[in-house]
Amino acid sequence: MKVLSAEQLSGADKETIRKQNITSEELMERAATLVFNEINQRLQGAPIPIKIFCGIGNNGGDGLVIARHLIQHGYHVTVYVVNYSDKRSEDFLANYEKLKVITNDWPHLIKEEDHFPEINTGDFVIDAMFGIGLNRPIEGWVAKLVKLINNSQAFILAVDMPSGLFSDKTPGKKAAVIEANYTLSFQSPKLVFFLPETMDYIGDLQVLDIGLDREYISKLISETFLIGKQEAVSLYIPRKKNSHKGDYGKVLIVGGSYGKIGSVLLTATAALKTGTGLCSLYIPECGYDIIQTGLPEAMLMTDTDKKMLTTYPKDFDADVVCFGMGVGTDEKSVQALKELLQANNDPVVIDADGLNILSNNKEFLKMLPKNSVLTPHPGELKRLIGAWEDDFQKLEKVKKFSKKYNVILVVKGAHTFTIDREYIYINDSGNPGMATAGSGDVLSGIITSLIGQGYEPVNAAVFGVYLHGLSGDITAEEIGYESLLAGDIARNMGKAVKALFERESMESK
Ligand SMILES: NC(=O)C1=CN([C@@H]2O[C@H](COP(=O)(O)OP(=O)(O)OC[C@H]3O[C@@H](n4cnc5c(N)ncnc54)[C@H](OP(=O)(O)O)[C@@H]3O)[C@@H](O)[C@H]2O)[C@@H](O)CC1
Ligand SMILES: Nc1ncnc2c1ncn2[C@@H]1O[C@H](COP(=O)(O)OP(=O)(O)O)[C@@H](O)[C@H]1O
Ligand SMILES: [K+]
């Protein structure tokens, strides 16, 4: 799904009004009615106090439409107009008049702190103060109102986006922003919904298709995509009946050191469980018995050093090589990575200490084969590209790095971002149970496996990240977050691939 900017959404809005020959008020009615339907479906007429806070722009207009429908369906609604300015939008005014017709209980005007209502724990608050039109931080008494709502413990539903969030920049640490429990957003998710600094404001997210012109949207150039089940399925390459193990990749995993052999075991298990035909490992000698026992399907070569990697098997003919998990950063292991980079022209996957070695030896970056995949977590990323001021600057820096070195970066997190030059792919699978040692090692194995099976590196990264999260979701569904182990994610890869094609088994995310 394309992630559109506020500007693109406004354009689509105008084109829809023109092409469908409707007024902007009718479009607002359509969008806000969808929000009402969702609320009605969940509340089923429950007599709980609903407090709707409306701004004076079109987000406020949506709030007034929602209020009208809720009142007409017998809900206990109180409407507040957060009168932060006198420039009421036309559609706000039209809906203000419509509301007056159906109730004597007219909106309460809030113009200062003294007008604030009491908000109680059991209230259902609808935030329709600001949407994509916010152009400066919320200040003064409006900021105080935002804090009052946040501190109320009431359930908060945000319309289009939580008030206080911008669509194209982060709000700053002390800014007043609604902390929603649930966000119902129109037509397209916004980039800020997925960034580490701002994702916590969103709560659960649902995107409503408000019927903006499909043709116009399909022609819009977007560089940012949300990857859900539908997008993942489209990347899948089916196996051929007439095939053999040589068709599914000869993978080489290089890693491990004394005390960290488990990392390569996880990576290799994930690679084989993702469909690799032939999986070999190059490890320090101390890992020999561990791998042969733990993963008899894998083949092994060992370094002459017992405890760490000192070299790289240059003559080994692999389709794809993965380097880095559990390696450490000893000078001798730096040499191993150097030899690997000198010996390879095809894309490689670099993770963990492989990334730390790159950060300590920046001259190696130029040696990375084109379209190699780097999989940093935020700490590794910082060492690689330097610190950033906010998430938007981080994305710009990563794009620049990706272009400069011709590589793909998988920036791991609650929403993992795969960045290929100017393109951003945001992952929508996964859960907090995956915040457990070794789950990154598993991801590297999955991506390496897919490259070995003939996926383009960027597709291997995007699809691999999705499958990794999906396997984590399936595992969490079975055993909960707390006891989820990285090895479970690897072992459940088969279920994840199957779930891609099962309609009922998993909710399409
Ligand atoms: N296209 C779609 O998908 C559809 C969109 N729809 C809905 O429209 C929403 C966008 O509406 P919108 O453009 O009227 O902007 P909105 O967010 O209501 O606020 C703008 C007002 O706030 C003001 N202002 C800004 N910052 C401020 C501040 N810090 N403190 C105080 N004031 C501030 C600014 O005035 P300014 O002073 O800057 O001139 C202006 O008056 C969108 O989110 C969605 O809900 C649907 O109805 C239909 C389909
Ligand atoms: N809260 C979360 N939600 C979804 N995925 C998560 C969450 N926390 C971690 N993950 C995923 O788990 C993996 C952790 O990787 P990493 O930090 O490299 O772990 P390790 O070094 O222990 O292998 C990443 O793929 C990341 O996206
Ligand atoms: K809002």
Side-chain angles (χ1 to χ4, degrees), residues 186-383:
F186 296 136
Q187 201 68 40
S188 157
K190 284 77 181 163
L191 177 58
V192 289
F193 293 178
F194 309 105
L195 296 170
E197 285 176 307
T198 42
M199 63 174 284
D200 289 340
Y201 294 113
I202 312 305
D204 290 328
L205 171 67
Q206 191 181 339
V207 179
L208 298 170
D209 183 349
I210 62 168
L212 296 187
D213 188 65
R214 274 182 204 287
E215 199 189 334
Y216 182 85
I217 290 181
S218 73
K219 284 186 187 150
L220 280 177
I221 296 171
S222 178
E223 292 169 350
T224 310
F225 301 88
L226 182 65
I227 306 299
K229 186 172 171 179
Q230 208 183 339
E231 291 76 15
V233 168
S234 73
L235 294 173
Y236 177 73
I237 305 176
R239 286 204 169 210
K240 291 195 182 74
K241 202 167 183 179
N242 184 7
S243 59
H244 57 85
K245 62 180 181 252
D247 296 324
Y248 299 108
K250 204 167 162 192
V251 159
L252 176 64
I253 292 156
V254 184
S257 59
Y258 185 76
K260 287 186 181 159
I261 294 299
S263 60
V264 268
L265 181 56
L266 286 167
T267 307
T269 307
L272 281 162
K273 280 290 195 179
T274 307
T276 286
L278 289 156
C279 181
S280 299
L281 292 95
Y282 184 73
I283 57 165
E285 212 190 303
C286 65
Y288 187 82
D289 289 342
I290 302 166
I291 303 288
Q292 289 280 269
T293 316
L295 192 63
E297 295 86 352
M299 292 169 285
L300 265 190
M301 291 173 282
T302 55
D303 198 286
T304 48
D305 196 288
K306 280 198 165 53
K307 295 191 169 180
M308 68 176 76
L309 292 175
T310 62
T311 182
Y312 171 76
K314 289 178 269 306
D315 299 330
F316 188 83
D317 180 26
D319 294 325
V320 57
V321 182
C322 174
F323 180 95
M325 50 292 308
V327 167
T329 52
D330 192 281
E331 262 316 304
K332 291 181 193 158
S333 308
V334 172
Q335 179 62 24
L337 177 57
K338 190 174 182 183
E339 286 178 19
L340 181 157
L341 294 175
Q342 284 166 339
N344 270 288
N345 292 321
D346 293 329
V348 293
V349 176
I350 310 275
D351 185 24
D353 283 327
L355 298 168
N356 294 330
I357 293 175
L358 287 178
S359 299
N360 294 336
N361 301 271
K362 293 261 162 57
E363 69 278 11
F364 286 9
L365 291 170
K366 290 195 285 292
M367 296 162 72
L368 285 166
K370 190 176 173 196
N371 289 329
S372 288
V373 178
L374 276 49
T375 59
H377 60 51
E380 290 155 352
L381 183 69
K382 208 166 277 179
R383 287 190 279 276

Side-chain angles (χ1 to χ4, degrees), residues 333-506:
S333 308
V334 172
Q335 179 62 24
L337 177 57
K338 190 174 182 183
E339 286 178 19
L340 181 157
L341 294 175
Q342 284 166 339
N344 270 288
N345 292 321
D346 293 329
V348 293
V349 176
I350 310 275
D351 185 24
D353 283 327
L355 298 168
N356 294 330
I357 293 175
L358 287 178
S359 299
N360 294 336
N361 301 271
K362 293 261 162 57
E363 69 278 11
F364 286 9
L365 291 170
K366 290 195 285 292
M367 296 162 72
L368 285 166
K370 190 176 173 196
N371 289 329
S372 288
V373 178
L374 276 49
T375 59
H377 60 51
E380 290 155 352
L381 183 69
K382 208 166 277 179
R383 287 190 279 276
L384 205 57
I385 65 166
W388 50 85
E389 270 165 30
D390 59 45
D391 285 338
F392 280 92
Q393 197 199 30
K394 175 178 75 184
L395 288 178
E396 285 314 308
K397 286 185 94 162
V398 177
K399 282 182 185 175
K400 208 169 143 194
F401 184 97
S402 165
K403 278 184 213 161
K404 182 168 177 187
Y405 297 108
N406 272 309
V407 293
I408 295 148
L409 280 99
V410 174
V411 179
K412 293 182 287 196
H415 284 287
T416 292
F417 281 54
T418 299
I419 293 160
D420 180 19
R421 284 73 172 186
E422 66 269 32
Y423 292 100
I424 303 178
Y425 304 91
I426 305 169
N427 187 52
D428 202 23
S429 62
N431 63 77
M434 298 172 72
T436 178
S439 77
D441 303 332
V442 169
L443 176 65
S444 307
I446 295 169
I447 295 173
T448 307
S449 174
L450 294 171
I451 296 176
Q453 291 175 61
Y455 287 77
E456 289 298 323
V458 63
N459 291 348
V462 172
F463 187 42
V465 168
Y466 183 81
L467 282 177
H468 179 249
L470 182 58
S471 179
D473 289 341
I474 291 168
T475 312
E477 189 84 13
E478 288 172 1
I479 59 172
Y481 293 156
E482 283 73 14
S483 75
L484 191 157
L485 297 185
D488 298 330
I489 303 174
R491 283 183 289 274
N492 274 339
M493 279 304 291
K495 289 184 188 169
V497 175
K498 275 182 79 185
L500 281 180
F501 302 98
E502 283 166 9
R503 243 175 240 168
E504 307 303 329
S505 68
M506 290 288 295

Side-chain angles (χ1 to χ4, degrees), residues 112-127:
E112 53 176 295
E113 214 174 329
D114 284 349
H115 300 154
F116 288 1
E118 211 174 280
I119 306 172
N120 303 308
T121 311
D123 290 351
F124 185 98
V125 167
I126 298 177
D127 158 35

